[in-house]
Amino acid sequence: MSPADGAFFGLAAEAPAALVPDLAIILPGGRTLLAISGLADALPSQGSCGDAPWQAVCWPVQNGRAGLALVRAPLVGTYWLRAPNGEEREIAAPRALDVAPAPLAEFVRRHGLNSREVLDFLAATLADDAPSGDGDFAARFLSLAAEAGGFVEILACPGTKGLFAQGWAMSLGAGRHRLMRLDGTLTQCDADVALFARDDIPPPGMGFCLFSLDWETDLRGLDCLFYEQDGTLKRLEVVRGSVLRLSGEAAIDHVRHMLPRLAGDEGGIGIYRRICRPRYQGMDTLSLTTLPIAAAFDSVFQAPSGGLLATGWLLDPLRQVERVIVKSTAGLYAPLQDCWTPLPRGDLNQGFGGDPRFARLLDPADTLHGFVAFAEGTPRRGDEEFYLELVLADKSCLFHPLQITAVDGREMLPQILSDLPLHDPSLDRIVEEMVAPFLAQLPAPARKTRGTQRPVPLSGTAGDMTAVVPLDRLDHLQPMMALLSGTPEAERLDLAIVMTRAAAAEAARRLRDLFPFYGIRGRLLVVDQADLCARIEAGLALAKGARVLIWQPSALPMAPGWLDLLEAELDGLGKPGLISPTLVYEDGSVFYGGDGVVGDSAPMLGYPRGWLTGGAPRSMAAGAAQLALIDRQAMAQAGGFAGRLYSNGLAHRDLARRLNEQGFGTWSSRSVDFWMLEDVPRAADAMAALLERIDSALIGKTAGLFSTGRFS
């Protein structure tokens, strides 16, 4: 018994005899492959000979152990092997020296070694730093070591991809095999094997068919196929000059002819049935069928990475359709039937009620003919044709050409969402499992403001910290200004008021009067974007200094001195990030704040303010949407204020997630309280609600967690 790590046991008083390799093969690049037999203990799997690394593998044999070792140095004399535990053993000059794999194959046969494991060792070790001229050593060993196992009589390419082979073998079993192919170089892939009886082959020989979708090969370049049987490599010879080679329809006809004779597991036989299925020839056979089957797509969108979002319908009252697949001539394969959500389409019952194909087959109570589905795909190649394939219960197929819309950005969002059922009970599932995964594959929006924008000064001088204030109406700002007037914050802050052009048209003149009146510093930035995140990003472009304040007028300070307190607390936390005050409603109940429960943005929502314990800031899942003091460098490292979301309501949650991913923190202060004005009820907007559901799914949360603390 040898140690588990392959190292030597402790040496006895007398050093063991030197190891004498049976064979040394000098490989290109000056490396040496040693074959050693008659071992009492296993060779160390790792070690060194002088300065050269050593790798080895051993097997038990009748007279002890035999093994192979690769040394990255030429060994033709005497060397010392050092094991990982420091023990050493002498390696004497080899009994035989060669440069070809034939003696190695003979060594493997003589000692009954597992030829597949030998091949794996060669492939793994020689591939590490194989020099020029050494790449085919393992392939040549395979050809010499493999035993005759049968012959390949027919080679075929029955479709655009894949290799079909037919012949006879003495020990090849049905099922999936890891096969090797030699056509100049050695490659491996999976193949499904089915068997059939052969009267001209004595038992245990059987005819075989194999198919591998992984292989795309020149049928005339294939020399051999190899498989493993109980640790022994077997060879299927491709006899040149007598092999029948088929392609296209001739190959499919041959597989169709063989199909009734094949035996194997159902999954493997199903592969051969699929080879025999009709192929798309550019014809719309779905529209021409006399069967009671009809289908169409309202839209199919494809993301740059290949993901598909499809909405459509399938009318199949007799349930003859087994699979609904979106395909392309470039190899796209996107099955939809297992990943769609059914939707009611009662209009189809009426529309097809007069069609003779559907006479007396449509049940008025069954209207679930529509669907929406998301499926992974492959990136568009550019010159392929797309089509729908319906696979029927009898394995026949119907085809219909498709137009797929490539989506490279977010400009087409209204069209993408227009077919979604905004009031269907399954909308949450559709958003979470289909729409959000598709939209997540689209690139982030470019939120760029015009470089020519210049702010309008509202005071003679600027403060040392910018507070970005997105403003809709002037009367929302005046309570904030009144509470700032005469406070230390008025001396430090530079309010960057960001308004749309329409809103600023009437407010600009009034703002020029109010800022001097209240003794507040600031500027007005006029933008064209009504989007809240875009306005905040525009204001952030004006910010200077290490930190910035994002402040909505719905949050009002209770007492002066709050800015210095927030900064001091953020300084004391030891790492950059974001901090928000506790927000309290007029009745004294908590709107934002908690006791360090990271899983919720407002763990103490509705509790009396007095229930919050004092002390150091508490870690939170996100900052308050209404006011946050942020380290600008941390925000820049997290990708800026606005991330990849599609609406404004959860932007603060997405920012917090990205900050935490970068190692920064988000906290709630216990020393600073702000009043939180009641939210003004907003008019119901189904599309805005849909975008927030999408954002909720994108950041991996449920909609219920975001019912408080929102941008609006």
Side-chain angles (χ1 to χ4, degrees), residues 217-231:
T217 183
D218 177 7
L219 295 182
R220 299 193 177 278
L222 185 63
D223 291 327
C224 283
L225 296 174
F226 301 90
Y227 67 96
E228 177 192 348
Q229 181 69 35
D230 299 328

Side-chain angles (χ1 to χ4, degrees), residues 161-176:
K161 291 182 63 177
L163 174 72
F164 172 89
Q166 180 179 320
W168 64 269
M170 299 304 294
S171 58
L172 182 61
R176 176 152 291 196

Side-chain angles (χ1 to χ4, degrees), residues 588-590 604 606-612:
S589 62
V590 173
M604 298 295 287
Y607 283 76
R609 172 63 178 88
W611 285 35
L612 294 180

